Amino acid sequence: MAKRYFHYDEIASEQSAGYTKALGEEFVPGPVDGEDLIRSRTQVAIVGAGPAGLVLALLLQHEGIDCVVVERQTQAYVETRARAGFIEHRVVEFLRQHGLSEGLDLRGVPHTTCEFRHGGSQYIVPYGDLSGGAHVVYPQQFLVRDLLELFTSRGGKVLFSHPAVKMEGMEDNRAVVTCVVQDSSDSPLQLELECDFVAGCDGFHGLSRTSIPSTHVMTFTKQYGIGWLALLAEVPSSMKRIVYALHDSGFAGQMPRTPQVTRFYLECLPGDLESEWPDDRVWRELRKRMAIDGENDLITGPIIERRVLDMRSVVTEPMQYGNLFLAGDAAHIITPVGAKGMNLAIADAEVLARALIAHYRKRDGTLLREYSKTRLPHVWRVQEFSDWMLRLIHSTDGSNEQAFSERLRRARLERLCGSNAYANLFAESYVGR
Ligand code: APR
């Protein structure tokens, strides 16, 4: 079949509707040999416009390396999807160094202390002073919007509503990513994107990880048997820092987001339905679990999002198959404890970008070959911290000796506030130093 090739500059990329229209009216006079198929070429095909994909795209663009981002969702969806919000000190510094931090410098709020509540006591950890670093609270969707704006304003191409449906040829240097151009027509167009490398930045439910033959990867999974009800409430934070409340009825947490919106978490059963947690039950539990000596200062208000999350962690090894490189949630997911997911994703993108730049600019493939080996020890170190913290804040530890676990938790918190060495280790891991 004769295939027509287009460069992306020829294709309106803003919205799939405009794109299809442009293709239909100007580029493809009806089906090409009976099939609606477009081919194009780029150096790096980036699948997924989350933090990992967009950071990678911007770093490559800066070096003049051609890349195209394909994204399953619409632009409006990715720019408003509320996810994480805590950016580690090291990641903030990295974004600053690369001129990607304007929004977070303007609107982000630095945080340097967190608080644990247990048995009527408060344990405040000044992790910023201890580690010489701080978190910046800046919602992930704001960062995604900033990165998208930067990338597209510099001429970068993001094809929204283009789910990747097939990846092939990664093992023999002939990588092709096939996307469906979603629109309202009955026979959707297909786009074949030939590339040197595929960056699989398409999250845990994406296509990249599952495109690797099972004989070439190992997946390590930990199911904690714990659920969290993740809530977004339209209220200012009652307490100006992160609060982890350890209670007999289960964990409760407060994470500041913006002056108008706060994230709360409530431990629940993994199979719980959102409908089992109406507003009055949510606020009752939050008030009870966060109280100190029966008192609390919780501001209540409308709940705008509620989702039950399963506490689980997954790591895929290696993070590479031929010319396909996995970054971010596509390679590993981590429980939200310790707020590490987005930070790991950006750190992967940074290392992958450096490796691709060395390949194109210095003809040196060493960093690419070592990408997985470089990232995995860091990924496991962060998993270890999150696992430790998860055990600190939940009473469930697989045994029935509740009273014993309670005392262990108290001993850990007392060490955290009484031993400099212990607190320093926590602070360093927490801010990602
Ligand atoms: N084709 C194209 N895009 C896809 C496909 C596909 N087949 N499958 C998924 N995607 C897109 C998703 O729609 C999403 O926009 O890939 C993107 C992946 O982005 P994220 O899930 O944000 O993943 P990542 O960039 O690794 O960032 C990880 O996100 O999950 C949160 O809290 C987590 O903070 C962490 C961060």
Side-chain angles (χ1 to χ4, degrees):
M1 181 182 63
K3 288 174 181 169
R4 296 186 60 184
Y5 282 73
F6 296 94
H7 188 269
Y8 272 85
D9 290 341
E10 294 176 274
I11 299 173
S13 67
E14 295 303 311
Q15 295 292 341
S16 70
Y19 169 37
T20 311
K21 196 161 165 268
L23 288 170
E25 286 178 355
E26 292 170 34
F27 298 111
V28 186
V32 178
D33 288 351
E35 201 176 319
D36 283 347
L37 178 74
I38 316 298
R39 283 207 146 202
S40 190
R41 219 204 114 69
T42 185
Q43 288 176 302
V44 183
I46 300 176
V47 185
L54 292 171
V55 165
L56 176 64
L58 276 152
L59 297 178
L60 296 181
Q61 180 186 52
H62 183 258
E63 290 294 319
I65 296 167
D66 190 48
C67 62
V68 172
V69 183
V70 296
E71 165 58 51
R72 174 166 62 186
Q73 302 287 357
T74 63
Q75 180 163 0
Y77 183 88
V78 301
E79 286 186 349
T80 51
R81 179 176 41 183
R83 314 280 285 275
F86 265 70
I87 310 186
E88 288 177 348
H89 176 79
R90 207 198 64 78
V91 172
V92 171
E93 291 292 295
F94 157 77
L95 293 170
R96 280 194 184 125
Q97 269 165 25
H98 291 272
L100 308 178
S101 66
E102 200 180 314
L104 79 85
D105 285 334
L106 268 176
R107 294 185 294 277
V109 180
H111 275 249
T112 54
T113 57
C114 67
E115 176 182 333
F116 294 88
R117 295 181 173 185
H118 182 245
S121 302
Q122 277 171 289
Y123 302 82
I124 296 172
V125 184
Y127 63 84
D129 287 349
L130 290 166
S131 65
H135 280 118
V136 173
V137 175
Y138 192 57
Q140 180 170 321
Q141 68 274 23
F142 292 7
L143 181 69
V144 163
R145 199 186 49 204
D146 296 347
L147 297 173
L148 262 173
E149 202 182 314
L150 269 179
F151 182 61
T152 51
S153 69
R154 296 170 182 174
K157 305 292 176 205
V158 183
L159 302 178
F160 291 102
S161 305
H162 279 57
V165 291
K166 199 161 64 178
M167 288 180 194
E168 359 171 59
M170 287 90 74
E171 59 293 341
D172 52 15
N173 289 323
R174 294 196 332 205
V176 179
V177 176
T178 305
C179 305
V180 172
V181 183
Q182 286 184 333
D183 65 1
S184 53
S185 72
D186 293 340
S187 57
L189 290 166
Q190 284 207 359
L191 165 71
E192 282 188 2
L193 192 52
E194 291 183 354
C195 53
D196 302 336
F197 298 101
V198 183
C201 306
D202 48 353
F204 189 65
H205 301 289
L207 176 75
S208 308
R209 189 172 45 90
T210 51
S211 299
I212 305 178
S214 56
T215 44
H216 287 72
V217 277
M218 300 232 321
T219 302
F220 300 88
T221 304
K222 171 91 184 162
Q223 290 279 3
Y224 287 95
I226 296 171
W228 270 17
L229 181 67
L231 303 146
L232 273 183
E234 224 166 39
V235 290
S237 304
S238 308
M239 299 128 296
K240 296 301 167 213
R241 56 174 80 98
I242 287 199
V243 175
Y244 301 98
L246 289 49
H247 192 272
D248 292 348
S249 306
F251 163 74
Q254 182 219 248
M255 323 279 145
R257 280 292 183 270
T258 68
Q260 297 82 26
V261 173
T262 302
R263 193 175 267 301
F264 292 98
Y265 292 114
L266 272 174
E267 182 181 345
C268 63
L269 295 173
D272 273 5
L273 300 173
E274 282 85 3
S275 56
E276 293 175 79
W277 287 90
D279 288 21
D280 57 340
R281 184 179 177 202
V282 164
W283 290 117
R284 200 171 51 246
E285 282 300 309
L286 282 171
R287 293 182 81 86
K288 179 178 80 184
R289 298 184 196 183
M290 295 197 131
I292 301 170
D293 291 334
E295 297 289 316
N296 74 57
D297 39 10
L298 207 61
I299 306 168
T300 60
I303 293 172
I304 53 177
E305 190 189 290
R306 83 194 72 211
R307 219 153 42 97
V308 174
L309 309 174
D310 231 6
M311 288 299 106
R312 63 175 175 165
S313 286
V314 180
V315 178
T316 301
E317 291 190 3
M319 292 166 59
Q320 177 196 0
Y321 171 65
N323 286 359
L324 165 66
F325 294 86
L326 304 179
D329 277 15
H332 37 70
I333 51 168
I334 187 159
T335 71
V337 183
K340 296 295 182 189
M342 173 169 52
N343 295 294
L344 269 182
I346 294 175
D348 285 349
E350 177 189 357
V351 174
L352 181 54
R354 210 181 303 133
L356 286 165
I357 292 165
H359 166 84
Y360 282 111
R361 294 285 160 263
K362 299 186 191 147
R363 297 178 181 277
D364 183 353
T366 319
L367 294 180
L368 269 180
R369 281 193 298 279
E370 290 180 352
Y371 168 70
S372 184
K373 219 166 72 189
T374 309
R375 286 307 296 150
L376 281 170
H378 183 79
V379 169
W380 280 113
R381 210 160 48 241
V382 174
Q383 290 283 4
E384 190 279 330
F385 174 69
S386 171
D387 180 271
W388 173 87
M389 205 165 154
L390 186 131
R391 287 167 202 282
L392 175 72
I393 63 175
H394 295 94
S395 50
T396 321
D397 67 356
S399 76
N400 291 323
E401 283 97 20
Q402 186 81 7
F404 193 91
S405 309
E406 273 308 297
R407 279 157 182 77
L408 282 184
R409 294 208 295 175
R410 181 177 298 280
R412 283 186 193 128
L413 287 171
E414 281 169 358
R415 273 188 92 193
L416 198 55
C417 288
S419 151
N420 271 347
Y422 202 76
N424 279 332
L425 186 61
F426 168 82
E428 273 182 19
S429 309
Y430 197 55
V431 300
R433 267 220 176 269

